[in-house]
Amino acid sequence: MSPGLDDEALSEVVGFVLILALVMAAISLYITYVLPAQGREDEIQKMGDVRDWFVNYKTQVDTLWMNSPPHVPSPSDTLSPSYHYPRSQDASSMDALSWLYTNQTELFDITSGGTTLSQVIDPATGSGTTPARMFIPILAPIRSSARVGLPEYHETLTITTNSTSDYANVSLRGLEFQSQNNYWIQQTYTYQDGGVFLVQNATSGNADISVLAYPAISIVNATTSPEVNLMLVNMIGTEEGVIGTSSPVMVRTWLNDPPDYVIANKNFTNVTLTAHTRSRPYAQMWADIFNNTVRNGLINSTATADSYPKVTYGDNNASITIDAPQNTSVNLTVSQANYTAHLQNVQSLME
């Protein structure tokens, strides 16, 4: 074999190695820079979709109780144990019930289990099976996953009247979506007590929490006769815990019964709302909710900042106290809607 032929063979090998090195370098640069950027964009878009899903979910769930008039028994009925009226207040409560029974206006009635909302939430990023995922998985971003469920954090809302009597201690359990992103920050969306909340940068004892939609709490006319109206949204699950998944989850939600009046159009010298929370950031969130409720309710009133109801919060609770001005009272109306949610994995987005 001549030396010239040997040199040509060597050149082909060297050329092949150089081409392979360039291909590997290009793949390495793609995996290092392009793929994470693509994965990040996918997860940002996905979390935007999750935000819209929760806002839409709130609208549809709230529609059930808004279009179902609160359950008010006939004035001749006796109060059942399911109502939260104190026995010492029965007589005056029945007067309020009589008024409500006479003046309520029905839009349409939703019976127990008669209407079920079925919605699918998909935690995974990526548009199904792409050529890259099928033949070269390393060139496709890792699909995200999530934890979806109704975890129990033992958070409650307490209503205290005249500084002594607790009228309600309602669970603030809600539907939660906790992201397991691979390229972007972790986010948690929660539907709780009729509100939608976003948690970011959650670490031990710290979190950035935003209120995307406020719970149904109204405080108005604080200078003459303050009026406080609440809708307590209580959610339970057919299964404990959460589902950790990268596949779609079907969320079925139904209103157990028409909403009940917990406290019906009653007057007190003062009313205190207290949210008992899992940590200080959540207590601060509820303090912000109370402050926003006061600001919105007093926009068209003559109240001054000094006469606003006072809001305080600590490590595990936030409170607002509404005191009646002299020779007046605080009018309080509280309704409660009870929901059940059932979660299950599905294999496609077809409902």
Side-chain angles (χ1 to χ4, degrees):
M1 183 177 291
S2 66
L5 292 177
D6 290 344
D7 291 340
E8 289 178 4
L10 181 61
S11 298
E12 292 176 357
V13 172
V14 171
F16 176 77
V17 171
L18 290 175
I19 293 173
L20 184 60
L22 288 174
V23 171
M24 294 304 297
I27 293 176
S28 297
L29 290 173
Y30 181 87
I31 294 174
T32 303
Y33 297 104
V34 179
L35 191 146
Q38 180 182 346
R40 181 176 180 272
E41 291 300 319
D42 288 345
E43 290 180 347
I44 290 174
Q45 180 178 353
K46 171 55 65 176
M47 297 312 299
D49 294 341
V50 173
R51 176 198 60 211
D52 295 340
W53 189 96
F54 267 82
V55 173
N56 180 63
Y57 180 79
K58 168 192 165 53
T59 302
Q60 294 194 47
V61 170
D62 288 358
T63 298
L64 289 183
W65 63 257
M66 286 190 294
N67 289 330
S68 181
H71 178 252
V72 181
S74 167
S76 61
D77 293 344
T78 58
L79 294 177
S80 67
S82 64
Y83 287 85
H84 301 274
Y85 301 105
R87 293 181 180 178
S88 61
Q89 303 285 347
D90 279 353
S92 56
S93 295
M94 287 305 298
D95 292 340
L97 284 171
S98 178
W99 180 89
L100 289 166
Y101 186 79
T102 303
N103 292 278
Q104 66 169 321
T105 301
E106 292 193 19
L107 298 179
F108 58 84
D109 188 25
I110 299 176
T111 59
S112 176
T115 300
T116 301
L117 298 176
S118 296
Q119 290 185 301
V120 173
I121 185 168
D122 185 5
T125 51
S127 55
T129 302
T130 63
R133 293 191 192 279
M134 291 178 61
F135 303 109
I136 317 177
I138 194 174
L139 297 183
I142 302 172
R143 302 189 72 182
S144 63
S145 60
R147 292 167 57 84
V148 184
L150 287 90
E152 179 58 80
Y153 297 111
H154 304 289
E155 295 182 307
T156 59
L157 182 68
T158 299
I159 302 173
T160 305
T161 57
N162 294 347
S163 303
T164 55
S165 301
D166 289 344
Y167 275 75
N169 196 4
V170 178
S171 171
L172 293 178
R173 189 179 181 187
L175 179 67
E176 181 178 279
F177 178 101
Q178 187 180 80
S179 72
Q180 303 292 316
N181 290 329
N182 300 302
Y183 304 98
W184 201 43
I185 61 174
Q186 305 303 332
Q187 296 185 324
T188 299
Y189 284 90
T190 304
Y191 173 81
Q192 181 187 62
D193 194 36
V196 177
F197 312 113
L198 167 63
V199 180
Q200 300 181 101
N201 301 320
T203 58
S204 179
N206 296 296
D208 297 328
I209 306 178
S210 303
V211 181
L212 305 182
Y214 285 86
I217 301 175
S218 171
I219 302 172
V220 297
N221 197 18
T223 55
T224 55
S225 181
E227 296 181 3
V228 180
N229 297 280
L230 293 87
M231 168 56 77
L232 305 175
V233 179
N234 181 33
M235 297 194 72
I236 61 174
T238 56
E239 295 180 2
E240 296 294 331
V242 297
I243 297 176
T245 180
S246 59
S247 62
V249 175
M250 174 74 77
V251 181
R252 287 191 172 92
T253 310
W254 58 90
L255 183 66
N256 293 333
D257 295 292
D260 285 340
Y261 271 109
V262 179
I263 303 172
N265 194 38
K266 282 190 56 61
N267 296 317
F268 303 97
T269 57
N270 58 71
V271 173
T272 298
L273 310 179
T274 303
H276 304 279
T277 65
R278 74 194 81 165
S279 63
R280 188 177 184 87
Y282 291 88
Q284 184 175 359
M285 177 195 76
W286 276 96
D288 292 341
I289 291 172
F290 293 148
N291 280 318
N292 181 78
T293 300
V294 170
R295 287 192 297 268
N296 289 341
L298 302 182
I299 287 177
N300 298 318
S301 76
T302 58
T304 62
D306 292 338
S307 64
Y308 284 6
K310 297 298 184 279
V311 177
T312 60
Y313 72 93
D315 289 337
N316 297 101
N317 59 76
S319 297
I320 180 171
T321 298
I322 304 97
D323 291 312
Q326 189 174 8
N327 299 324
T328 64
S329 59
V330 180
N331 183 274
L332 177 64
T333 299
V334 182
S335 302
Q336 179 172 322
N338 298 311
Y339 290 93
T340 298
H342 175 73
L343 310 179
Q344 67 180 79
N345 285 115
V346 294
Q347 297 305 314
S348 70
L349 291 179
M350 296 298 293
E351 295 189 36

Tab-separated table of all heavy atoms in Angstrom, residues 251-299:
chain	number	residue	atom	x	y	z
A	251	VAL	N	-61.512	17.311	37.203
A	251	VAL	CA	-62.016	17.865	38.457
A	251	VAL	C	-63.527	17.985	38.331
A	251	VAL	O	-64.034	18.791	37.542
A	251	VAL	CB	-61.398	19.243	38.753
A	251	VAL	CG1	-61.917	19.782	40.086
A	251	VAL	CG2	-59.875	19.156	38.772
A	252	ARG	N	-64.236	17.169	39.090
A	252	ARG	CA	-65.698	17.232	39.108
A	252	ARG	C	-66.130	17.874	40.426
A	252	ARG	O	-65.733	17.433	41.503
A	252	ARG	CB	-66.305	15.833	38.978
A	252	ARG	CG	-66.178	15.234	37.582
A	252	ARG	CD	-67.023	13.973	37.443
A	252	ARG	NE	-67.055	13.492	36.065
A	252	ARG	CZ	-66.200	12.602	35.557
A	252	ARG	NH1	-65.243	12.105	36.340
A	252	ARG	NH2	-66.289	12.220	34.308
A	253	THR	N	-66.954	18.900	40.336
A	253	THR	CA	-67.362	19.667	41.508
A	253	THR	C	-68.871	19.822	41.504
A	253	THR	O	-69.466	20.134	40.469
A	253	THR	CB	-66.721	21.069	41.493
A	253	THR	OG1	-65.311	20.955	41.253
A	253	THR	CG2	-66.946	21.774	42.819
A	254	TRP	N	-69.487	19.590	42.664
A	254	TRP	CA	-70.927	19.792	42.750
A	254	TRP	C	-71.300	20.447	44.063
A	254	TRP	O	-70.650	20.281	45.091
A	254	TRP	CB	-71.692	18.494	42.550
A	254	TRP	CG	-71.357	17.380	43.503
A	254	TRP	CD1	-71.935	17.123	44.702
A	254	TRP	CD2	-70.361	16.365	43.314
A	254	TRP	NE1	-71.376	16.023	45.277
A	254	TRP	CE2	-70.406	15.523	44.439
A	254	TRP	CE3	-69.441	16.087	42.302
A	254	TRP	CZ2	-69.548	14.430	44.594
A	254	TRP	CZ3	-68.609	14.997	42.444
A	254	TRP	CH2	-68.670	14.181	43.573
A	255	LEU	N	-72.372	21.224	44.003
A	255	LEU	CA	-72.926	21.894	45.175
A	255	LEU	C	-73.788	20.895	45.927
A	255	LEU	O	-74.738	20.343	45.377
A	255	LEU	CB	-73.756	23.102	44.739
A	255	LEU	CG	-74.355	23.986	45.831
A	255	LEU	CD1	-73.264	24.692	46.613
A	255	LEU	CD2	-75.301	25.007	45.197
A	256	ASN	N	-73.440	20.644	47.181
A	256	ASN	CA	-74.141	19.606	47.938
A	256	ASN	C	-75.604	19.945	48.173
A	256	ASN	O	-76.491	19.118	48.018
A	256	ASN	CB	-73.440	19.366	49.273
A	256	ASN	CG	-72.059	18.762	49.078
A	256	ASN	OD1	-71.801	18.084	48.096
A	256	ASN	ND2	-71.155	19.024	50.007
A	257	ASP	N	-75.878	21.175	48.592
A	257	ASP	CA	-77.228	21.626	48.881
A	257	ASP	C	-77.296	23.114	48.565
A	257	ASP	O	-76.264	23.767	48.424
A	257	ASP	CB	-77.580	21.411	50.369
A	257	ASP	CG	-77.628	19.947	50.756
A	257	ASP	OD1	-78.550	19.258	50.282
A	257	ASP	OD2	-76.746	19.505	51.516
A	258	PRO	N	-78.504	23.659	48.450
A	258	PRO	CA	-78.590	25.115	48.345
A	258	PRO	C	-77.881	25.759	49.528
A	258	PRO	O	-77.890	25.216	50.631
A	258	PRO	CB	-80.107	25.380	48.384
A	258	PRO	CG	-80.719	24.111	47.882
A	258	PRO	CD	-79.821	23.009	48.388
A	259	PRO	N	-77.231	26.902	49.331
A	259	PRO	CA	-76.503	27.543	50.437
A	259	PRO	C	-77.400	27.793	51.643
A	259	PRO	O	-78.592	28.077	51.497
A	259	PRO	CB	-76.031	28.863	49.813
A	259	PRO	CG	-76.014	28.604	48.347
A	259	PRO	CD	-77.140	27.662	48.082
A	260	ASP	N	-76.830	27.671	52.819
A	260	ASP	CA	-77.545	27.934	54.062
A	260	ASP	C	-77.187	29.320	54.585
A	260	ASP	O	-76.051	29.771	54.459
A	260	ASP	CB	-77.171	26.908	55.137
A	260	ASP	CG	-77.821	25.554	54.892
A	260	ASP	OD1	-78.815	25.524	54.150
A	260	ASP	OD2	-77.324	24.560	55.431
A	261	TYR	N	-78.173	29.984	55.187
A	261	TYR	CA	-77.876	31.185	55.951
A	261	TYR	C	-77.337	30.761	57.307
A	261	TYR	O	-78.035	30.116	58.086
A	261	TYR	CB	-79.120	32.064	56.131
A	261	TYR	CG	-79.325	33.055	55.024
A	261	TYR	CD1	-80.357	32.907	54.115
A	261	TYR	CD2	-78.454	34.140	54.878
A	261	TYR	CE1	-80.534	33.807	53.088
A	261	TYR	CE2	-78.624	35.049	53.846
A	261	TYR	CZ	-79.668	34.874	52.951
A	261	TYR	OH	-79.829	35.764	51.935
A	262	VAL	N	-76.107	31.111	57.587
A	262	VAL	CA	-75.508	30.821	58.891
A	262	VAL	C	-75.944	31.879	59.892
A	262	VAL	O	-76.326	31.589	61.020
A	262	VAL	CB	-73.972	30.784	58.780
A	262	VAL	CG1	-73.335	30.520	60.137
A	262	VAL	CG2	-73.548	29.729	57.778
A	263	ILE	N	-75.885	33.137	59.483
A	263	ILE	CA	-76.368	34.259	60.285
A	263	ILE	C	-77.192	35.116	59.342
A	263	ILE	O	-76.704	35.541	58.296
A	263	ILE	CB	-75.222	35.084	60.886
A	263	ILE	CG1	-74.313	34.186	61.729
A	263	ILE	CG2	-75.760	36.235	61.724
A	263	ILE	CD1	-73.053	34.856	62.199
A	264	ALA	N	-78.425	35.374	59.677
A	264	ALA	CA	-79.324	36.025	58.738
A	264	ALA	C	-79.733	37.412	59.209
A	264	ALA	O	-80.558	37.554	60.103
A	264	ALA	CB	-80.569	35.155	58.529
A	265	ASN	N	-79.120	38.435	58.619
A	265	ASN	CA	-79.593	39.802	58.800
A	265	ASN	C	-79.739	40.184	60.279
A	265	ASN	O	-80.752	40.695	60.708
A	265	ASN	CB	-80.938	39.968	58.078
A	265	ASN	CG	-81.332	41.426	57.921
A	265	ASN	OD1	-80.486	42.270	57.666
A	265	ASN	ND2	-82.616	41.708	58.080
A	266	LYS	N	-78.687	39.910	61.061
A	266	LYS	CA	-78.733	40.214	62.492
A	266	LYS	C	-77.822	41.387	62.840
A	266	LYS	O	-76.873	41.683	62.135
A	266	LYS	CB	-78.325	38.987	63.320
A	266	LYS	CG	-79.435	37.959	63.426
A	266	LYS	CD	-79.099	36.884	64.431
A	266	LYS	CE	-78.777	37.446	65.813
A	266	LYS	NZ	-79.931	38.193	66.371
A	267	ASN	N	-78.129	42.051	63.953
A	267	ASN	CA	-77.399	43.243	64.366
A	267	ASN	C	-76.576	42.968	65.620
A	267	ASN	O	-77.030	42.299	66.555
A	267	ASN	CB	-78.382	44.391	64.643
A	267	ASN	CG	-79.121	44.814	63.386
A	267	ASN	OD1	-78.517	44.929	62.311
A	267	ASN	ND2	-80.423	45.040	63.500
A	268	PHE	N	-75.349	43.513	65.618
A	268	PHE	CA	-74.427	43.325	66.735
A	268	PHE	C	-73.689	44.632	67.002
A	268	PHE	O	-73.629	45.519	66.139
A	268	PHE	CB	-73.409	42.224	66.426
A	268	PHE	CG	-74.038	40.894	66.088
A	268	PHE	CD1	-74.227	40.513	64.768
A	268	PHE	CD2	-74.452	40.029	67.088
A	268	PHE	CE1	-74.800	39.294	64.450
A	268	PHE	CE2	-75.029	38.810	66.788
A	268	PHE	CZ	-75.215	38.444	65.458
A	269	THR	N	-73.123	44.736	68.195
A	269	THR	CA	-72.325	45.932	68.503
A	269	THR	C	-70.967	45.883	67.822
A	269	THR	O	-70.379	46.920	67.513
A	269	THR	CB	-72.134	46.080	70.022
A	269	THR	OG1	-71.512	44.882	70.529
A	269	THR	CG2	-73.476	46.273	70.720
A	270	ASN	N	-70.451	44.665	67.581
A	270	ASN	CA	-69.190	44.538	66.842
A	270	ASN	C	-69.095	43.147	66.238
A	270	ASN	O	-69.698	42.193	66.729
A	270	ASN	CB	-67.972	44.819	67.740
A	270	ASN	CG	-67.909	43.885	68.937
A	270	ASN	OD1	-67.623	42.703	68.799
A	270	ASN	ND2	-68.193	44.426	70.124
A	271	VAL	N	-68.349	43.065	65.158
A	271	VAL	CA	-68.131	41.803	64.454
A	271	VAL	C	-66.639	41.686	64.141
A	271	VAL	O	-66.021	42.641	63.661
A	271	VAL	CB	-68.935	41.734	63.141
A	271	VAL	CG1	-68.557	40.493	62.336
A	271	VAL	CG2	-70.429	41.756	63.428
A	272	THR	N	-66.071	40.520	64.437
A	272	THR	CA	-64.660	40.273	64.135
A	272	THR	C	-64.543	39.051	63.239
A	272	THR	O	-65.105	37.998	63.532
A	272	THR	CB	-63.845	40.049	65.427
A	272	THR	OG1	-63.903	41.224	66.239
A	272	THR	CG2	-62.384	39.756	65.096
A	273	LEU	N	-63.805	39.210	62.145
A	273	LEU	CA	-63.494	38.099	61.245
A	273	LEU	C	-62.032	37.741	61.446
A	273	LEU	O	-61.161	38.619	61.372
A	273	LEU	CB	-63.735	38.493	59.789
A	273	LEU	CG	-65.079	39.140	59.450
A	273	LEU	CD1	-65.130	39.476	57.970
A	273	LEU	CD2	-66.231	38.247	59.854
A	274	THR	N	-61.757	36.480	61.691
A	274	THR	CA	-60.388	36.032	61.934
A	274	THR	C	-60.069	34.842	61.047
A	274	THR	O	-60.758	33.821	61.088
A	274	THR	CB	-60.172	35.635	63.403
A	274	THR	OG1	-60.497	36.741	64.241
A	274	THR	CG2	-58.713	35.245	63.643
A	275	ALA	N	-59.023	34.990	60.251
A	275	ALA	CA	-58.530	33.884	59.428
A	275	ALA	C	-57.355	33.247	60.143
A	275	ALA	O	-56.352	33.918	60.437
A	275	ALA	CB	-58.102	34.387	58.055
A	276	HIS	N	-57.476	31.956	60.468
A	276	HIS	CA	-56.405	31.202	61.113
A	276	HIS	C	-55.625	30.482	60.005
A	276	HIS	O	-56.166	29.608	59.329
A	276	HIS	CB	-56.978	30.209	62.123
A	276	HIS	CG	-57.858	30.848	63.159
A	276	HIS	ND1	-57.365	31.479	64.267
A	276	HIS	CD2	-59.209	30.968	63.213
A	276	HIS	CE1	-58.365	31.955	65.000
A	276	HIS	NE2	-59.495	31.666	64.374
A	277	THR	N	-54.368	30.842	59.831
A	277	THR	CA	-53.602	30.411	58.661
A	277	THR	C	-52.426	29.525	59.043
A	277	THR	O	-52.067	29.408	60.213
A	277	THR	CB	-53.083	31.623	57.881
A	277	THR	OG1	-52.138	32.338	58.707
A	277	THR	CG2	-54.220	32.556	57.503
A	278	ARG	N	-51.808	28.936	58.019
A	278	ARG	CA	-50.690	28.012	58.243
A	278	ARG	C	-49.384	28.730	58.547
A	278	ARG	O	-48.485	28.169	59.171
A	278	ARG	CB	-50.519	27.117	57.023
A	278	ARG	CG	-49.901	27.780	55.809
A	278	ARG	CD	-50.046	27.014	54.542
A	278	ARG	NE	-51.342	27.205	53.923
A	278	ARG	CZ	-51.623	26.869	52.672
A	278	ARG	NH1	-50.702	26.299	51.926
A	278	ARG	NH2	-52.819	27.091	52.167
A	279	SER	N	-49.211	29.980	58.085
A	279	SER	CA	-47.950	30.708	58.297
A	279	SER	C	-48.188	32.201	58.128
A	279	SER	O	-49.269	32.641	57.695
A	279	SER	CB	-46.866	30.229	57.320
A	279	SER	OG	-47.243	30.497	55.989
A	280	ARG	N	-47.177	32.978	58.444
A	280	ARG	CA	-47.307	34.438	58.412
A	280	ARG	C	-47.617	34.997	57.014
A	280	ARG	O	-48.442	35.914	56.903
A	280	ARG	CB	-46.029	35.080	58.971
A	280	ARG	CG	-46.136	36.594	59.175
A	280	ARG	CD	-44.862	37.168	59.789
A	280	ARG	NE	-44.994	38.582	60.077
A	280	ARG	CZ	-45.479	39.076	61.203
A	280	ARG	NH1	-45.883	38.247	62.157
A	280	ARG	NH2	-45.585	40.374	61.394
A	281	PRO	N	-46.978	34.517	55.933
A	281	PRO	CA	-47.327	35.065	54.609
A	281	PRO	C	-48.811	34.926	54.274
A	281	PRO	O	-49.400	35.822	53.667
A	281	PRO	CB	-46.455	34.244	53.656
A	281	PRO	CG	-45.289	33.815	54.480
A	281	PRO	CD	-45.856	33.568	55.839
A	282	TYR	N	-49.420	33.817	54.685
A	282	TYR	CA	-50.841	33.637	54.421
A	282	TYR	C	-51.682	34.546	55.323
A	282	TYR	O	-52.747	35.023	54.912
A	282	TYR	CB	-51.233	32.178	54.621
A	282	TYR	CG	-50.653	31.274	53.561
A	282	TYR	CD1	-49.386	30.707	53.717
A	282	TYR	CD2	-51.342	30.998	52.392
A	282	TYR	CE1	-48.832	29.888	52.745
A	282	TYR	CE2	-50.803	30.184	51.407
A	282	TYR	CZ	-49.539	29.636	51.593
A	282	TYR	OH	-48.993	28.832	50.618
A	283	ALA	N	-51.216	34.797	56.539
A	283	ALA	CA	-51.907	35.746	57.406
A	283	ALA	C	-51.849	37.154	56.812
A	283	ALA	O	-52.846	37.887	56.827
A	283	ALA	CB	-51.272	35.729	58.796
A	284	GLN	N	-50.701	37.524	56.272
A	284	GLN	CA	-50.579	38.838	55.629
A	284	GLN	C	-51.492	38.920	54.401
A	284	GLN	O	-52.081	39.970	54.124
A	284	GLN	CB	-49.135	39.093	55.225
A	284	GLN	CG	-48.910	40.478	54.629
A	284	GLN	CD	-47.450	40.754	54.347
A	284	GLN	OE1	-46.575	39.930	54.609
A	284	GLN	NE2	-47.171	41.939	53.813
A	285	MET	N	-51.616	37.808	53.669
A	285	MET	CA	-52.512	37.793	52.512
A	285	MET	C	-53.945	38.091	52.937
A	285	MET	O	-54.641	38.901	52.309
A	285	MET	CB	-52.444	36.431	51.825
A	285	MET	CG	-53.388	36.277	50.648
A	285	MET	SD	-53.607	34.546	50.140
A	285	MET	CE	-54.696	33.931	51.440
A	286	TRP	N	-54.406	37.454	54.017
A	286	TRP	CA	-55.764	37.697	54.480
A	286	TRP	C	-55.925	39.110	55.020
A	286	TRP	O	-56.992	39.724	54.884
A	286	TRP	CB	-56.175	36.666	55.527
A	286	TRP	CG	-56.678	35.412	54.894
A	286	TRP	CD1	-55.994	34.263	54.635
A	286	TRP	CD2	-57.995	35.193	54.368
A	286	TRP	NE1	-56.777	33.344	53.993
A	286	TRP	CE2	-58.026	33.885	53.813
A	286	TRP	CE3	-59.156	35.970	54.312
A	286	TRP	CZ2	-59.166	33.353	53.220
A	286	TRP	CZ3	-60.299	35.434	53.713
A	286	TRP	CH2	-60.284	34.150	53.191
A	287	ALA	N	-54.881	39.654	55.639
A	287	ALA	CA	-54.938	41.051	56.063
A	287	ALA	C	-55.115	41.968	54.858
A	287	ALA	O	-55.883	42.944	54.900
A	287	ALA	CB	-53.673	41.417	56.836
A	288	ASP	N	-54.422	41.669	53.760
A	288	ASP	CA	-54.580	42.449	52.532
A	288	ASP	C	-55.998	42.321	51.980
A	288	ASP	O	-56.563	43.289	51.460
A	288	ASP	CB	-53.559	42.002	51.483
A	288	ASP	CG	-52.128	42.341	51.865
A	288	ASP	OD1	-51.938	43.214	52.731
A	288	ASP	OD2	-51.196	41.715	51.312
A	289	ILE	N	-56.566	41.102	52.070
A	289	ILE	CA	-57.944	40.901	51.619
A	289	ILE	C	-58.899	41.775	52.433
A	289	ILE	O	-59.781	42.449	51.881
A	289	ILE	CB	-58.334	39.421	51.729
A	289	ILE	CG1	-57.569	38.588	50.697
A	289	ILE	CG2	-59.842	39.233	51.562
A	289	ILE	CD1	-57.754	37.091	50.860
A	290	PHE	N	-58.738	41.775	53.758
A	290	PHE	CA	-59.612	42.581	54.621
A	290	PHE	C	-59.455	44.066	54.299
A	290	PHE	O	-60.445	44.804	54.214
A	290	PHE	CB	-59.291	42.318	56.092
A	290	PHE	CG	-59.638	40.924	56.555
A	290	PHE	CD1	-58.880	40.288	57.539
A	290	PHE	CD2	-60.711	40.236	56.022
A	290	PHE	CE1	-59.201	39.007	57.972
A	290	PHE	CE2	-61.040	38.950	56.445
A	290	PHE	CZ	-60.284	38.345	57.430
A	291	ASN	N	-58.213	44.526	54.145
A	291	ASN	CA	-57.979	45.941	53.839
A	291	ASN	C	-58.593	46.327	52.497
A	291	ASN	O	-59.182	47.406	52.352
A	291	ASN	CB	-56.476	46.240	53.827
A	291	ASN	CG	-55.906	46.427	55.221
A	291	ASN	OD1	-56.516	47.070	56.070
A	291	ASN	ND2	-54.729	45.869	55.473
A	292	ASN	N	-58.441	45.477	51.505
A	292	ASN	CA	-59.019	45.756	50.187
A	292	ASN	C	-60.542	45.794	50.251
A	292	ASN	O	-61.181	46.632	49.609
A	292	ASN	CB	-58.569	44.688	49.189
A	292	ASN	CG	-59.112	44.924	47.800
A	292	ASN	OD1	-58.626	45.765	47.040
A	292	ASN	ND2	-60.137	44.166	47.420
A	293	THR	N	-61.119	44.890	51.051
A	293	THR	CA	-62.571	44.869	51.207
A	293	THR	C	-63.070	46.168	51.810
A	293	THR	O	-64.083	46.733	51.369
A	293	THR	CB	-62.984	43.690	52.096
A	293	THR	OG1	-62.551	42.463	51.489
A	293	THR	CG2	-64.483	43.650	52.287
A	294	VAL	N	-62.354	46.671	52.801
A	294	VAL	CA	-62.742	47.929	53.441
A	294	VAL	C	-62.616	49.085	52.455
A	294	VAL	O	-63.518	49.919	52.322
A	294	VAL	CB	-61.874	48.180	54.687
A	294	VAL	CG1	-62.102	49.594	55.216
A	294	VAL	CG2	-62.198	47.155	55.764
A	295	ARG	N	-61.501	49.144	51.729
A	295	ARG	CA	-61.298	50.249	50.777
A	295	ARG	C	-62.390	50.254	49.712
A	295	ARG	O	-62.942	51.306	49.380
A	295	ARG	CB	-59.920	50.142	50.125
A	295	ARG	CG	-58.770	50.510	51.041
A	295	ARG	CD	-57.483	50.659	50.253
A	295	ARG	NE	-57.088	49.403	49.615
A	295	ARG	CZ	-56.270	48.513	50.168
A	295	ARG	NH1	-55.775	48.744	51.370
A	295	ARG	NH2	-55.949	47.410	49.531
A	296	ASN	N	-62.698	49.088	49.154
A	296	ASN	CA	-63.728	49.017	48.120
A	296	ASN	C	-65.109	49.364	48.660
A	296	ASN	O	-65.918	49.988	47.980
A	296	ASN	CB	-63.759	47.621	47.499
A	296	ASN	CG	-62.545	47.344	46.631
A	296	ASN	OD1	-61.858	48.266	46.195
A	296	ASN	ND2	-62.276	46.073	46.373
A	297	GLY	N	-65.380	48.963	49.896
A	297	GLY	CA	-66.702	49.209	50.463
A	297	GLY	C	-66.930	50.640	50.882
A	297	GLY	O	-68.071	51.072	51.031
A	298	LEU	N	-65.854	51.394	51.086
A	298	LEU	CA	-65.992	52.762	51.592
A	298	LEU	C	-65.688	53.815	50.543
A	298	LEU	O	-65.556	54.994	50.859
A	298	LEU	CB	-65.062	52.968	52.796
A	298	LEU	CG	-65.288	52.004	53.971
A	298	LEU	CD1	-64.348	52.329	55.108
A	298	LEU	CD2	-66.725	52.083	54.452
A	299	ILE	N	-65.584	53.409	49.265
A	299	ILE	CA	-65.248	54.370	48.214
A	299	ILE	C	-66.252	55.516	48.165
A	299	ILE	O	-65.893	56.682	48.033
A	299	ILE	CB	-65.187	53.658	46.846
A	299	ILE	CG1	-63.925	52.803	46.765
A	299	ILE	CG2	-65.217	54.657	45.699
A	299	ILE	CD1	-63.803	52.009	45.482
